[in-house]
Amino acid sequence: MFDPRDTRVSRWSGGCGMLWLLLWLLPAGDGSRMVVQDGTYKDRRGPEEGAVTTRPHIHYCRSPNMEDFSCWWLPLDNLTDGEQVTYALSYSKDKGPRHECPDYGTAGPFSCHFDSSHTSIWKIYCLNVTAVTASGNYTSQEHCLDVAEIVQTEAPVNLTYELTDAGGDEMGHSALLSWTYPVPSDLQYGWITLVYELQYRRATEADEWKVKHPLRESRVELLGLPVGDYVVRVRCRSHNYGLWSNWSAALLMSLPTGPPKGKVLVPIVVTGVAVVALLVILFGVMPQGRRIKDYFLPPIPNPRIIGIDPLLLKKGNLAEINHHFSNFHSFSPPSYSEEVWDQVSAGDAFLAVPKAFCVASDPTGREKDALMFPCDLPPASAAAAAAAAAAAPHGVAGNPPASYVQSVSPYCSLPPQAFAPPPDRSSWSRPEIVSLPCTEYSVMGHPGLPDASAASRGPQDFYTCVQLMKEGGEVHLVPCLPPAYCREFPPPPRVEKKEEKKKKKKMADGQARTNERNDGGEEERSEAAVPLLPLAVKG
Amino acid sequence: MHLVSVIQRGVWAVLLWPNLLASSVPLDCREEQGILSRCPSISQEKLLDRVIEHAELIYRVSEESCSLYEDMFIPLQFQRNQVGYACITKTLPVPSSKNEIQQISDKWLLHSVLMLVQSWIEPLVYLQTSLDRYNAAPEMLLNKTKWVSEKLISLEQGVVVLIKKMLDEGMLTINHSEQGLLQNGVQPQMLESVMRDYTLLSCFKKDAHKMEAFLKLLKCRQTDRYNCS
């Protein structure tokens, strides 16, 4: 007889055991679903991985652009040699009817490719593949996918870098990294919009990647990187669907030591120039400081009148002062000796019909300017004189004394005055070439001038007149002699008449000019101080 | 004893029901961390999002095509203004004013979208052939219009699936009875092919915008019924 309590206990214990079994199985039941999920996810490792399978297994499906996709499966392993196997993949969309794979070959062996006409992003595909062998059919597990979820874009290519100077306050370099997407037609019309992620690290520090994410453009600039070697890689993804692409090929980027050449050169040049300048200043300029200062900033001279030394006026002796002042035009030092006056009759003095004029220094006290002094010469030679005076003066020093002709012209109407003998009067007695003051003519002094008229010789001694003009353009100069000698000598031959009219016209003009000048000069003279001519005076 | 066995079986059943159901195909998807479980169809939210994106893209590309066409073939402003009155889809019972749209139900929104989409498939094909006959049509314009007509077909499929899902309606047959729309709608004074094509393009642009707007409104209503415009 059974003890009812024993059976109850045993049943209960059996029941409890089963309960524990159940409880233990529960997570496994959920886990099977999890396994399925992991299977669809983990299996996207790559088609190359092999595994031991008793039945085929769809392990990898991928869509590169959300318009078509492919799936790969792993073939059977436990085949006996020589056994023929064919695979057939079938799929259904959203519980619809099953269809066969439309394209077995495009994506390689053990694959199925769905082109755009067979791809729908609105429905879920569930696939399985069957291995048909002689020994039986082996069907894989059902594999379901959503096309948008398996989108994995291509890895970027052509990753390149360009170094630039960091600029600004940054030390080191900036690197501009750029890459391209290999299939740009996918990105047309915005069907796929990519977002990128870039990672870089120093070549020496493995696994310490710095991340730049998200990047919307296929280029990025890394600023102020310190010197060294770097490894860079980039990947991309459709911005709202799918998975990250594979990493692009890693790029080795090496930043050279030191700043770029241009940056080093400028400070060196500037420093060099500054040092050289400093040395020059120290050793070259400072000793010569005063001279340089004078060169650049000449001392402002004290106001002076040329020729008048105030000190001289204060304490110089009279002879010196006279000497200085005699260099002025029309200065006559006061003579303290008795004046000798010559008797001059009215007939002797010729009224000036100025036919020619000479430029001379006039030592009369009344006139201080250089005076255009009319010389009464015969018209021809007067005209010649006018022409010559207008032309560049030539030195006629070469005239031999033999051809020297005395001037016939009576000298000019100048009120005779007694003068203190000019200091260079003695030079007149000698036949030497004299350069007269304020003229550029040099003339042979005549030896035979009598000394008797020396006293009465006045300003005429300083003048020279053109006696005649030779054909070559040379002018013949003679000193303007006092009237005493005018009558002794015959008048010079007359020049041809055909030039007369022209020259007369010139003379008239010259005369008019002279008159004007004289008038103007007189006005001027009557006024205040007349500026001294800075002519070189030979004393 | 009998009771215990019944209890045991009951407990078994209770504890094992998920496994029992695991082999059968569940009606709805459950997503865990974005990973797809073994379910036969895409979730409604995802579908709607994708349809909206699709419609946005179609509208954008059609807008680009229209402005390309305008720049090339319609230089004068007054010509551009003429097209507003001749859209072929005027005859469709599609809501057009804001008031109507707000009052319409979700079901009718979806159906309007579907009607619009279906009514444009044929005319776009016609437009494509017409543009091919041009001498000076740029390559880009042709490519764009071709792309748009392809994607429109895809959009139609999507909307159909969405309707099935949202409204639990049976499989809608693709209704192409609107084929005659094109012939009915052609205005006699617009026989010139350039103006006719331009009319088509700009009307399609407007309708694409409408589709996008309806779908976005639908989406908005899913999340927050009373705050949508």
Side-chain angles (χ1 to χ4, degrees):
Chain A
M1 229 113 130
F2 291 132
D3 189 2
R5 271 180 300 164
D6 290 333
T7 52
R8 252 182 292 156
V9 165
S10 64
R11 272 187 216 126
W12 272 119
S13 63
C16 283
M18 279 188 186
L19 266 174
W20 283 117
L21 193 64
L22 275 176
L23 286 170
W24 181 73
L25 279 174
L26 263 178
D30 285 329
S32 69
R33 213 176 38 185
M34 296 289 286
V35 165
V36 168
Q37 292 165 10
D38 286 342
T40 53
Y41 182 65
K42 254 194 314 195
D43 283 341
R44 295 173 194 141
R45 281 170 302 201
E48 318 81 41
E49 291 200 17
V52 177
T53 48
T54 52
R55 56 180 189 166
H57 175 57
I58 298 172
H59 70 105
Y60 185 57
C61 291
R62 182 173 158 252
S63 165
N65 53 10
M66 212 158 73
E67 285 182 350
D68 53 45
F69 71 101
S70 311
C71 281
W72 290 265
W73 65 85
L74 297 170
L76 287 178
D77 271 359
N78 55 350
L79 295 173
T80 58
D81 289 338
E83 202 170 349
Q84 289 287 343
V85 180
T86 57
Y87 295 92
L89 186 138
S90 69
Y91 72 95
S92 67
K93 298 200 286 189
D94 263 10
K95 287 187 290 185
R98 292 203 85 86
H99 303 275
E100 177 111 16
C101 170
D103 181 355
Y104 280 106
T106 307
F110 311 121
S111 75
C112 181
H113 179 75
F114 296 81
D115 60 4
S116 55
S117 57
H118 291 93
T119 306
S120 166
I121 61 172
W122 313 111
K123 298 183 180 178
I124 290 188
Y125 286 70
C126 286
L127 317 105
N128 60 24
V129 66
T130 308
V132 177
T133 65
S135 51
N137 294 351
Y138 302 95
T139 306
S140 71
Q141 211 171 29
E142 189 92 354
H143 181 90
C144 292
L145 59 91
D146 178 4
V147 177
E149 302 286 323
I150 61 167
V151 172
Q152 187 182 25
T153 48
E154 307 275 352
V157 293
N158 280 347
L159 182 59
T160 53
Y161 72 97
E162 215 178 278
L163 291 177
T164 52
D165 185 21
D169 291 336
E170 300 272 347
M171 291 299 297
H173 296 268
S174 296
L176 179 67
L177 292 152
S178 60
W179 56 89
T180 56
Y181 187 70
V183 191
S185 57
D186 290 347
L187 310 180
Q188 257 184 340
Y189 314 121
W191 182 239
I192 292 200
T193 309
L194 290 175
V195 62
Y196 300 95
E197 180 184 329
L198 183 125
Q199 289 184 358
Y200 65 100
R201 65 172 170 90
R202 299 189 79 99
T204 47
E205 302 163 11
D207 293 334
E208 275 189 33
W209 293 95
K210 296 192 187 61
V211 180
K212 281 267 197 202
H213 173 74
L215 302 168
R216 290 272 162 183
E217 289 191 3
S218 62
R219 44 205 284 266
V220 74
E221 189 162 10
L222 301 174
L223 298 170
L225 291 175
V227 171
D229 292 339
Y230 291 85
V231 179
V232 184
R233 61 183 187 180
V234 67
R235 63 179 179 177
C236 63
R237 190 181 77 130
S238 172
H239 78 292
N240 49 5
Y241 299 119
L243 317 162
W244 282 107
S245 68
N246 291 331
W247 287 107
S248 66
L251 177 74
L252 187 66
M253 181 169 73
S254 54
L255 302 182
T257 53
K261 278 213 168 95
K263 202 170 182 182
V264 168
L265 197 62
V266 170
I268 286 177
V269 167
V270 168
T271 319
V273 167
V275 164
V276 166
L278 197 66
L279 287 174
V280 163
I281 287 171
L282 273 176
F283 297 117
V285 172
M286 284 172 48
Q288 308 285 339
R290 180 133 296 269
R291 276 177 60 189
I292 290 174
K293 177 187 169 290
D294 286 345
Y295 177 74
F296 281 108
L297 304 171
I300 301 169
N302 293 324
R304 273 195 205 180
I305 305 169
I306 295 176
I308 297 180
D309 184 2
L311 287 179
L312 180 67
L313 280 177
K314 275 186 200 167
K315 39 187 182 177
N317 56 16
L318 208 57
E320 264 185 44
I321 293 175
N322 285 341
H323 174 67
H324 272 286
F325 281 179
S326 68
N327 290 336
F328 295 160
H329 306 294
S330 68
F331 172 75
S332 64
S335 63
Y336 300 102
S337 60
E338 194 184 331
E339 289 185 350
V340 177
W341 288 88
D342 278 349
Q343 292 282 335
V344 176
S345 65
D348 289 341
F350 277 63
L351 276 177
V353 177
K355 294 198 168 75
F357 43 82
C358 314
V359 178
S361 63
D362 185 2
T364 58
R366 187 165 66 88
E367 293 139 5
K368 297 199 177 75
D369 267 287
L371 185 61
M372 299 299 244
F373 199 78
C375 288
D376 199 8
L377 290 173
S381 49
H394 301 282
V396 201
N399 286 338
S403 58
Y404 183 81
V405 176
Q406 296 293 334
S407 163
V408 278
S409 51
Y411 69 101
C412 329
S413 63
L414 195 71
Q417 280 181 5
F419 305 95
D424 54 352
R425 181 188 281 273
S426 57
S427 64
W428 278 104
S429 53
R430 289 192 288 281
E432 56 187 64
I433 297 175
V434 176
S435 62
L436 297 172
C438 91
T439 65
E440 288 167 312
Y441 306 124
S442 52
V443 82
M444 293 291 287
H446 192 264
L449 290 174
D451 288 331
S453 59
S456 66
R457 245 187 273 162
Q460 300 90 299
D461 294 338
F462 298 93
Y463 301 138
T464 175
C465 297
V466 176
Q467 193 208 358
L468 62 85
M469 187 164 156
K470 292 194 177 171
E471 283 183 50
E474 292 174 346
V475 294
H476 204 41
L477 299 173
V478 295
C480 290
L481 294 176
Y485 296 93
C486 286
R487 289 185 212 111
E488 294 180 18
F489 304 104
R494 281 187 174 259
V495 190
E496 296 159 340
K497 282 190 183 175
K498 65 183 175 183
E499 301 175 11
E500 265 183 304
K501 281 182 187 169
K502 246 199 279 180
K503 288 173 184 174
K504 269 190 181 164
K505 194 179 171 213
K506 269 195 197 168
M507 281 156 35
D509 290 341
Q511 183 184 342
R513 256 184 278 135
T514 334
N515 283 339
E516 282 174 21
R517 268 195 216 120
N518 279 344
D519 294 338
E522 281 183 16
E523 279 175 17
E524 269 184 8
R525 273 175 243 125
S526 63
E527 284 176 352
V530 171
L532 300 171
L533 287 181
L535 289 175
V537 176
K538 293 206 170 122
Chain B
M1 193 161 84
H2 197 66
L3 182 64
V4 169
S5 64
V6 166
I7 289 171
Q8 274 183 7
R9 288 198 192 102
V11 167
W12 272 105
V14 164
L15 291 174
L16 283 178
W17 74 263
N19 287 337
L20 282 174
L21 291 177
S23 57
S24 72
V25 178
L27 292 171
D28 205 2
C29 291
R30 248 169 300 168
E31 282 188 58
E32 288 162 8
Q33 299 151 9
I35 298 166
L36 200 61
S37 58
R38 281 183 73 228
C39 63
S41 68
I42 302 175
S43 72
Q44 187 178 309
E45 294 84 27
K46 267 198 193 170
L47 264 182
L48 189 55
D49 285 340
R50 280 184 210 174
V51 167
I52 288 175
E53 271 181 37
H54 226 101
E56 275 176 358
L57 209 53
I58 286 173
Y59 169 61
R60 206 173 76 205
V61 175
S62 73
E63 192 182 27
E64 287 168 14
S65 313
C66 191
S67 65
L68 247 181
Y69 193 89
E70 256 180 28
D71 290 339
M72 279 214 66
F73 301 110
I74 317 281
L76 304 170
Q77 190 58 39
F78 81 92
Q79 289 170 318
R80 296 180 187 182
N81 295 339
Q82 276 176 7
V83 298
Y85 309 105
C87 281
I88 58 177
T89 49
K90 263 198 323 187
T91 55
L92 290 180
V94 172
S96 45
S97 75
K98 199 163 178 187
N99 241 353
E100 283 181 36
I101 294 169
Q102 277 182 347
Q103 290 167 5
I104 204 173
S105 68
D106 288 357
K107 177 172 170 180
W108 273 110
L109 268 179
L110 267 177
H111 277 282
S112 310
V113 172
L114 186 63
M115 262 195 285
L116 280 171
V117 171
Q118 286 175 339
S119 66
W120 272 107
I121 291 178
E122 285 279 331
L124 279 182
V125 172
Y126 172 79
L127 178 67
Q128 188 69 34
T129 54
S130 172
L131 284 176
D132 280 339
R133 277 188 250 122
Y134 281 29
N135 294 338
E139 193 75 19
M140 190 156 62
L141 182 64
L142 292 173
N143 287 344
K144 280 193 170 152
T145 45
K146 189 154 32 152
W147 189 87
V148 163
S149 59
E150 284 169 14
K151 290 305 171 190
L152 196 68
I153 296 172
S154 168
L155 180 66
E156 187 205 6
Q157 295 169 359
V159 173
V160 163
V161 171
L162 186 64
I163 286 177
K164 205 163 65 151
K165 195 149 195 85
M166 278 183 80
L167 307 176
D168 287 330
E169 290 176 11
M171 203 58 171
L172 292 177
T173 55
I174 306 294
N175 194 2
H176 287 293
S177 68
E178 340 298 331
Q179 280 183 41
L181 215 66
L182 185 62
Q183 283 81 9
N184 293 341
V186 170
Q187 305 289 330
Q189 62 263 30
M190 286 209 179
L191 292 178
E192 187 195 335
S193 87
V194 166
M195 284 310 289
R196 189 179 56 223
D197 292 343
Y198 179 60
T199 309
L200 274 178
L201 265 176
S202 92
C203 286
F204 176 65
K205 183 179 86 171
K206 287 197 200 132
D207 286 346
H209 188 60
K210 247 191 226 173
M211 292 178 220
E212 183 192 336
F214 288 178
L215 290 166
K216 282 186 173 162
L217 177 62
L218 198 63
K219 168 130 187 111
C220 182
R221 284 194 191 173
Q222 301 292 312
T223 51
D224 182 1
R225 181 133 203 129
Y226 303 105
N227 221 5
C228 294
S229 60

